[in-house]
Amino acid sequence: MQDPVLFAGGTGIVGSEAVKAFRKRHSGTPILIGGRNLARAHAFALEIDNAVAVQIDNNQPRLGLAENDRIGAVVMMAPDEGLNGLAYAQDLCVPYLSMGNWLVEVGAEMAHVIRRPNASPVVLASHWHGGPAVFLTELATVDMDIVHSVSVAAVVDDLDPTGPAAMADMERGSEGGSGVWAFEGGHRVWLTGAAASREFRSLDGRLLKGSAFAPYDIASLQAMTRARSVRFDLAMADSSSRRRGAGVATELIVEIEGELRGSPSQRRVTLEFGKGQAALTGLSVALALSTALGLEGKDASPPGLYFPEQLMDAHWFLAELRAEGAIGDL
């Protein structure tokens, strides 16, 4: 691949982790590190082989870049609020991956793809940490006859760094409807009031109170399992890892109820990543991006609309996370 991959928002906490994870896997692919602060982008580019800093403006056509700039892919690590990054990728007919848009906003992205279905592969990867909970659930339910419910819980250590852009985006996402979207009893519902919180047990057995959250996982999990009830809850607390003296970590707990050969079946699968939430998200982005580009031993993805689980094999994805230090039911 000769044309560079543009990481818009590549200097942020999650964006920089995605850049580093992609560079670790693909040393020869040129990278453009896009940011509003050119000096900051340049300083980071000096740390990354074969990388160049560019100043971008998400509010401008082509993200403020020149018409003759050559780009091999557009990766939006910051919210693509005006869809200028998506339109730019479609104009160039190159892959596009978005990490910063919310489920209630997906209609705008879908409209662009529907109008120009043959322009680009468009990967909507705004799942929690880029999708590990979906892949965990896929493997945990593969032999079940019926899945009744999937409940995901995520714990973010309160010492795990989160950038100001990410915090602002999470606040924006929490305001995106009259409540938080979920599936309950076979229907789409908006969780409000007491229904928008749930207690769950962390990896070390503590009972934590989580708040309902609606990343893309909600839609992916319901479509994959056809479960009548799907919800996602998030808690910020001491991670189980830090409490046992092993440092900051991010953790996922997936609880599943269903049927296996006519009998009730309950399963709980977990994931813990000791490098923190930004590194896990960045790694997931790098895996999805390099797969879409055809850099993982298979053909590049043709134009279309994708979630991460449609690009990657669950066994392969979780094995790659394990190779980078993830532990749990992988």
Side-chain angles (χ1 to χ4, degrees):
M1 183 175 175
Q2 299 302 314
D3 292 336
V5 174
L6 171 64
F7 285 85
T11 60
I13 290 178
V14 177
S16 61
E17 292 291 346
V19 169
K20 289 185 285 188
F22 183 79
R23 171 54 74 235
K24 182 177 180 179
R25 299 185 70 85
H26 308 293
S27 59
T29 303
I31 290 175
L32 293 180
I33 298 174
R36 291 173 296 181
N37 186 321
L38 186 58
R40 182 180 177 187
H42 179 68
F44 181 48
L46 293 176
E47 302 175 17
I48 307 297
D49 292 338
N50 198 14
V52 175
V54 291
Q55 189 169 37
I56 62 171
D57 184 345
N58 292 358
N59 296 315
Q60 297 298 319
R62 302 185 304 278
L63 303 178
L65 299 177
E67 289 189 29
N68 59 350
D69 284 338
R70 297 183 62 85
I71 304 293
V74 176
V75 184
M76 294 299 301
M77 300 303 302
D80 195 5
E81 293 178 346
L83 283 303
N84 289 309
L86 175 53
Y88 187 31
Q90 289 181 309
D91 289 344
L92 298 174
C93 294
V94 300
Y96 170 88
L97 186 146
S98 169
M99 267 299 302
N101 288 352
W102 290 95
L103 187 55
V104 294
E105 301 170 328
V106 71
E109 294 167 311
M110 291 176 59
H112 278 252
V113 177
I114 290 169
R115 289 185 64 87
R116 304 170 70 181
N118 299 315
S120 302
V122 173
V123 184
L124 305 182
S126 296
H127 300 63
W128 187 248
H129 295 327
V134 179
F135 290 104
L136 281 173
T137 304
E138 181 179 345
L139 293 188
T141 59
V142 68
D143 65 338
M144 296 180 74
D145 302 316
I146 300 173
V147 178
H148 293 309
S149 69
V150 179
S151 298
V152 182
V155 179
V156 174
D157 194 301
D158 48 20
L159 295 185
D160 198 348
T162 302
M167 290 300 296
D169 191 46
M170 289 177 70
E171 292 174 5
R172 181 173 63 90
S174 68
E175 298 169 353
S178 58
V180 181
W181 194 43
F183 285 88
E184 189 174 278
H187 299 277
R188 289 175 290 197
V189 297
W190 291 101
L191 300 174
T192 59
S197 63
R198 176 174 69 93
E199 290 187 330
F200 63 88
R201 293 201 177 276
S202 63
L203 296 184
D204 62 0
R206 282 171 297 147
L207 198 60
L208 299 179
K209 186 173 183 178
S211 298
F213 201 55
Y216 280 20
D217 303 64
I218 298 293
S220 285
L221 290 168
Q222 199 279 333
M224 177 171 42
T225 66
R226 303 297 298 275
R228 290 175 58 81
S229 298
V230 179
R231 66 178 289 161
F232 192 111
D233 294 88
L234 174 66
M236 297 193 72
D238 297 356
S239 61
S240 302
S241 172
R242 183 155 63 91
R243 283 170 57 87
R244 65 174 185 267
V248 168
T250 190
E251 56 193 81
L252 280 169
I253 302 103
V254 183
E255 296 172 310
I256 302 159
E257 294 184 355
E259 296 179 21
L260 177 62
R261 292 188 288 276
S263 298
S265 178
Q266 295 183 337
R267 295 177 180 178
R268 173 182 162 104
V269 291
T270 65
L271 180 148
E272 183 179 70
F273 195 69
K275 298 177 183 178
Q277 57 88 20
L280 179 54
T281 306
L283 174 58
S284 298
V285 167
L287 294 174
L289 172 64
S290 55
T291 299
L293 290 171
L295 301 177
E296 297 293 344
K298 56 190 294 188
D299 292 341
S301 301
L305 186 62
Y306 301 92
F307 281 156
E309 66 269 21
Q310 295 165 314
L311 290 175
M312 298 175 284
D313 173 77
H315 288 284
W316 177 83
F317 176 86
L318 294 174
E320 294 298 322
L321 266 56
R322 188 187 311 116
E324 292 296 330
I327 59 175
D329 301 289
L330 304 175

